[in-house]
Amino acid sequence: MIFRTKSGKYCIDARIRKDGKIVHRRETIACSKEQAKARLEEIKAEIRAGRPLESSLKSTDISTFKELIEFYRDKSPKAPFSPEYDKKVIRLRDEFNSVSLVGFADRFEAYIKLLRNAKKSAATINRPIEIVRAAFQVAYSLGMVKGNPITKTRFPEIKEIPRDISLSLEEKNNLVETARNNPRTVHIADALNFALQVPVRKSELVNMRVKDIDLFSKCIRVHNGETKNDKGTDKPIPPDMIDFFMKRKKEGKPEDPVFCRIIKGDRKNRTGENYKVVSLGDFKRAWQTVKEDAGRPDIRFHDTRHISATDMVDAGTPERAVMDVAGWNTNMLANYYHRNNKKSLGLVQFKKSNCEPVVNTIEKQGS
């Protein structure tokens, strides 16, 4: 028997006569009527086979994916999450929202298959798997669900191959100048110049505030909770940007963003009744314009983080120092970030050989 409760959920009441006795089981879940009917047949089959309920939830606890995610955001040992990670979690919550946890693994498997067929990157496929698996694991460890259906066997992660992207000095200068010469993208020119020299995430870049500029130490502070690992760090100010940071420190208010755009008022003189400074926000469209106009549509903004870290190491900066600036706990340079090995190639020495080249030998035989 199936009936709908006042809360909008379906109550599934299964009764089966087995060995001369009536076996009764009941579940209350949030799903469609068709899903409830399918679940009723599953419960009956489980009773006949003598198996325990395979539902991954209790009838009085978490029943939808939205409830699971909200529980994860509240009870996870890593909560509160960093803004960037929380954004990914919320995106998944909105994707599946009120989908019932009964049969969720099948729905999620179809979603991952779509990502694979669309040839998305390994990271794009792995992150949702990691988040959903972690959410189920937290709920399971606290007794809110009966198991974790996102197993490593059914949902294996794809090996992530690091992107091998590099830019010459001329290409980096070209990107910055392209942004600076276009009225639609001039507002991201200084941010791009900074990102090409200092390993920084986009979220860290747009959240930098004038009050965090330290001109004496020539650095800017990124506070705890604003980095990927939630640990604060200091970003060095590149020599060619000292004047820019001095100007922002002098003209900007303490809470103003360092990298910003001016709207209304007199933009040139930064005055006027309606003068307003706003954060860059998500400058995806402006960045798309810059990289296409500069002839490098293959570059992602996150690649600037890889490139600047690599350039720092090649310039002689100790790897530990680069890791501290970037905010890495593990040696990401060794695992993910490419090196410029051309300097090493210049040091390669070959042992002299007495053997004549094959081509010369053939010519002598022919003559």
Side-chain angles (χ1 to χ4, degrees):
M1 180 175 64
I2 299 173
F3 61 91
R4 196 166 189 175
T5 64
K6 292 182 179 180
S7 63
K9 298 180 180 180
Y10 280 94
C11 182
I12 304 172
D13 194 349
R15 296 171 184 266
I16 294 291
R17 181 178 294 277
K18 184 179 180 182
D19 299 330
K21 297 181 181 180
I22 298 294
V23 181
H24 176 216
R25 287 180 183 171
R26 175 179 287 188
E27 276 190 12
T28 301
I29 60 175
C31 62
S32 64
K33 189 173 183 179
E34 289 71 21
Q35 289 175 323
K37 289 180 180 179
R39 182 56 190 158
L40 175 62
E41 297 304 318
E42 289 178 2
I43 295 174
K44 289 180 178 180
E46 290 167 3
I47 295 174
R48 294 189 186 100
R51 299 196 308 269
L53 281 173
E54 294 180 355
S55 174
S56 62
L57 62 145
K58 298 179 181 178
S59 60
T60 57
D61 296 328
I62 299 172
S63 60
T64 66
F65 184 75
K66 181 178 180 179
E67 293 173 356
L68 175 73
I69 287 297
E70 292 303 331
F71 183 83
Y72 175 55
R73 294 177 70 200
D74 182 47
K75 300 296 183 181
S76 173
K78 297 181 179 180
F81 301 136
S82 65
E84 185 170 345
Y85 184 78
D86 198 43
K87 186 177 179 180
K88 295 177 182 177
V89 173
I90 292 174
R91 189 183 299 125
L92 272 175
R93 181 200 65 187
D94 295 341
E95 177 72 29
F96 295 98
N97 204 3
S98 60
V99 173
S100 171
L101 295 190
V102 177
F104 173 80
D106 294 334
R107 176 77 175 269
F108 187 61
E109 189 174 36
Y111 172 76
I112 295 299
K113 187 176 181 180
L114 286 175
L115 294 180
R116 292 176 184 268
N117 291 341
K119 296 182 180 180
K120 296 294 184 180
S121 67
T124 302
I125 297 173
N126 289 341
R127 296 304 168 266
I129 295 176
E130 293 170 358
I131 292 171
V132 175
R133 180 181 292 140
F136 269 104
Q137 193 59 37
V138 169
Y140 172 67
S141 64
L142 296 176
M144 300 301 291
V145 296
K146 292 185 176 180
N148 190 342
I150 313 301
T151 61
K152 292 185 177 181
T153 302
R154 185 173 181 181
F155 296 92
E157 294 186 7
I158 302 174
K159 181 179 179 180
E160 297 185 25
I161 301 175
R163 286 167 53 80
D164 189 7
I165 297 292
S166 61
L167 290 174
S168 65
L169 179 60
E170 291 75 14
E171 288 175 317
K172 288 189 286 187
N173 291 338
N174 184 42
L175 279 170
V176 175
E177 290 305 313
T178 299
R180 205 178 299 280
N181 293 331
N182 189 335
R184 295 184 301 158
T185 61
V186 65
H187 58 284
I188 72 168
D190 293 311
L192 177 57
N193 188 23
F194 185 85
L196 286 169
Q197 300 183 73
V198 181
V200 60
R201 303 181 74 86
K202 182 191 282 189
S203 59
E204 298 169 355
L205 198 66
V206 299
N207 288 321
M208 289 179 175
R209 293 293 177 262
V210 170
K211 65 180 181 180
D212 299 320
I213 299 174
D214 184 352
L215 294 175
F216 180 79
S217 300
K218 297 181 180 179
C219 67
I220 182 166
R221 180 69 179 172
V222 179
H223 294 280
N224 293 345
E226 296 179 357
T227 62
K228 185 177 181 180
N229 60 13
D230 294 329
K231 295 181 180 179
T233 184
D234 293 303
K235 304 290 185 181
I237 298 176
D240 65 329
M241 297 193 71
I242 293 293
D243 291 341
F244 166 80
F245 277 88
M246 289 180 64
K247 188 175 182 180
R248 290 298 295 130
K249 187 73 171 179
K250 180 181 179 180
E251 297 179 351
K253 298 177 182 179
E255 294 299 330
D256 281 351
V258 174
F259 302 103
C260 59
R261 62 186 307 171
I262 310 300
I263 60 174
K264 301 181 180 180
D266 186 342
R267 300 188 184 188
K268 184 176 181 180
N269 298 317
R270 301 194 175 190
T271 58
E273 184 178 351
N274 296 321
Y275 165 77
K276 188 177 181 181
V277 176
V278 296
S279 174
L280 293 181
D282 185 7
F283 47 88
K284 184 177 181 180
R285 184 177 299 178
W287 168 242
Q288 186 71 24
T289 300
V290 169
K291 65 181 187 177
E292 288 181 357
D293 290 350
R296 289 302 302 263
D298 58 318
I299 299 291
R300 301 173 185 170
F301 191 83
H302 193 73
D303 289 334
T304 62
R305 180 170 160 89
H306 312 176
I307 293 166
S308 58
T310 302
D311 289 345
M312 277 189 172
V313 174
D314 289 340
T317 307
E319 291 189 10
R320 182 66 258 180
V322 176
M323 290 170 60
D324 289 340
V325 169
W328 294 323
N329 287 331
T330 57
N331 191 3
M332 300 288 284
L333 283 167
N335 297 330
Y336 294 101
Y337 297 93
H338 53 271
R339 311 289 184 84
N340 183 354
N341 67 339
K342 293 181 180 178
K343 293 182 179 179
S344 299
L345 291 176
L347 300 175
V348 172
Q349 299 290 331
F350 290 98
K351 186 177 180 180
K352 292 183 178 180
S353 173
N354 294 325
C355 298
E356 291 187 69
V358 176
V359 176
N360 293 344
T361 304
I362 295 175
E363 290 178 351
K364 289 180 180 179
Q365 291 178 351
S367 60

